[in-house]
């Protein structure tokens, strides 16, 4: 299927991560500097483009007026170990990755795109560990990122503590899904873990500790892109419609 929008990319020399990182963004067919745009920054960026079909959904949803002007931005990882270092709550690069998002990616996007330049127009999206770092970053920098889409996030005590210890937040908008079959998920380290029960605990904590827009869905599915892709259209129309 021919793309209606335009894919662009640029390398950023990150001082925080000490590496060159490619930023790929997808501008909708109707893109114009005369409009202002919402920004959706996707962890696991190549996966969202290839397995999640984000560009195709962008074409469809913009054409059907299901979402307002939105540019999707993908940031990818080198390999699964690099991904764990940057996304995991105990990852040695997680803090630096957060600084990279806030202090390097956001200024870059505000410079090259006609953005609103306010937190409420910026979203962080991710699956599994990508959803984890999206939530933790937004809790820490709610004035920079006002929306979170997390699909089957990894949840441990550190994630739960970040929710409990965050200052009261009223401006966040969160979309959260977990599959009812995610009771035995193989992690990067080779361990088998239950994702469903910790996500239910996270759900309860988010309701108890904060008063923001929060949508939670339990899907009939497991920890795979088959189910994340199937729910993505609803997620995007909910958050950018």
């Amino acid at each position: 299927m021919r793309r209606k929008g335009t894919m662009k990319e640029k390398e950023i020399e990150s001082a925080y991560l000490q590496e060159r990182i490619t930023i790929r963004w997808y501008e909708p067919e109707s893109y114009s500097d005369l409009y202002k745009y919402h920004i959706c920054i996707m962890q696991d960026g190549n996966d969202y483009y290839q397995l999640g079909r984000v560009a195709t959904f962008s074409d469809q949803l913009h054409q059907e007026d299901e979402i307002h002007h939105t540019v999707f931005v993908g940031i990818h990882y080198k390999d699964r170990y690099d991904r764990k270092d940057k996304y995991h709550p105990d990852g040695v690069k997680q803090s630096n990755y957060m600084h990279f998002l806030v202090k390097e990616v956001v200024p870059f996007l505000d410079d090259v795109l006609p953005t609103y330049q306010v937190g409420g127009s910026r979203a962080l999206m991710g699956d599994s560990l990508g959803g984890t770092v999206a939530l933790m970053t937004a809790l820490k920098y709610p004035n920079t990122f006002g929306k979170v889409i997390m699909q089957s996030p990894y949840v441990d005590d550190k994630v739960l503590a970040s929710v409990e210890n965050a200052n009261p937040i009223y401006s966040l908008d969160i979309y959260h899904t977990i599959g009812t079959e995610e009771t035995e998920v193989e992690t990067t380290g080779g361990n088998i873990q239950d994702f469903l029960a910790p996500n239910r605990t996270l759900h309860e904590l988010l309701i108890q500790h904060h008063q923001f827009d929060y949508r939670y869905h339990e899907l009939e599915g497991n920890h795979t892109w088959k189910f994340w892709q199937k729910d993505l259209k609803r997620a995007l129309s909910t958050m950018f419609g």
Side-chain angles (χ1 to χ4, degrees):
M1 184 182 294
R2 189 181 68 84
R3 294 269 191 275
K4 295 182 178 179
T6 305
M7 188 76 78
K8 295 184 177 179
E9 68 176 54
K10 177 91 173 182
E11 283 191 339
I12 290 182
E13 188 74 52
S14 173
Y16 290 97
L17 293 169
Q18 296 292 296
E19 64 177 287
R20 294 179 71 85
I21 297 179
T22 300
I23 310 295
R24 299 177 69 212
W25 67 96
Y26 189 71
E27 299 171 354
E29 183 179 22
S30 61
Y31 180 86
S32 167
D33 288 339
L34 298 175
Y35 303 137
K36 295 284 190 186
Y37 287 85
H38 298 282
I39 303 295
C40 181
I41 300 173
M42 308 177 295
Q43 319 332 299
D44 300 325
N46 291 352
D47 295 338
Y48 269 101
Y49 282 129
Q50 295 167 13
L51 305 174
R53 298 176 61 231
V54 156
T56 299
F57 285 136
S58 175
D59 289 345
Q60 291 176 1
L61 294 170
H62 277 102
Q63 184 173 345
E64 297 163 5
D65 288 327
E66 288 286 323
I67 60 174
H68 299 304
H69 304 304
T70 304
V71 172
F72 292 92
V73 180
I75 303 170
H76 206 59
Y77 50 88
K78 296 177 191 172
D79 53 40
R80 61 189 183 129
Y81 302 106
D82 178 61
R83 181 177 185 265
K84 185 176 181 181
D85 285 346
K86 291 170 179 171
Y87 297 174
H88 195 283
D90 292 324
V92 294
K93 297 180 181 177
Q94 198 211 44
S95 179
N96 285 340
Y97 183 76
M98 289 182 180
H99 282 107
F100 161 69
L101 290 173
V102 174
K103 299 180 184 296
E104 294 178 329
V105 175
V106 167
F108 167 75
L109 295 174
D110 284 347
D111 185 51
V112 299
L113 297 169
T115 63
Y116 287 98
Q117 303 198 10
V118 294
S121 67
R122 298 190 195 101
L124 290 173
M125 180 162 72
D127 65 279
S128 197
L129 280 176
T132 307
V133 74
L135 175 65
M136 295 183 74
T137 304
L139 288 173
K140 192 169 184 178
Y141 301 100
N143 294 327
T144 304
F145 302 106
K147 298 177 187 292
V148 174
I149 298 173
M150 50 182 179
Q151 298 181 286
S152 306
Y154 168 81
V155 179
D156 63 10
D157 289 342
K158 189 170 282 190
V159 176
L160 298 176
S162 72
V163 174
E164 289 190 275
N165 298 330
N167 292 324
I169 298 168
Y170 306 100
S171 58
L172 266 185
D173 193 355
I174 295 180
Y175 185 95
H176 175 194
T177 59
I178 186 68
T180 55
E181 297 171 28
E182 296 190 56
T183 53
E184 295 183 352
V185 176
E186 184 173 354
T187 64
T188 304
N191 300 319
I192 303 297
Q193 292 186 227
D194 178 6
F195 272 49
L196 179 58
N199 268 270
R200 285 174 169 168
T201 302
L202 174 61
H203 164 59
E204 294 298 328
L205 270 184
L206 286 168
I207 291 174
Q208 291 170 15
H209 284 262
H210 301 284
Q211 297 177 345
F212 43 55
D213 289 332
Y214 175 53
R215 289 88 159 183
Y216 173 77
H217 301 284
E218 292 192 1
L219 313 175
E220 291 184 7
N222 54 21
H223 201 76
T224 62
W225 270 102
K226 175 183 177 181
F227 296 98
W228 296 330
Q229 184 204 91
K230 195 179 296 185
D231 189 60
L232 203 49
K233 194 171 183 180
R234 176 175 65 175
L236 300 181
S237 60
T238 297
M239 298 301 273
F240 301 107

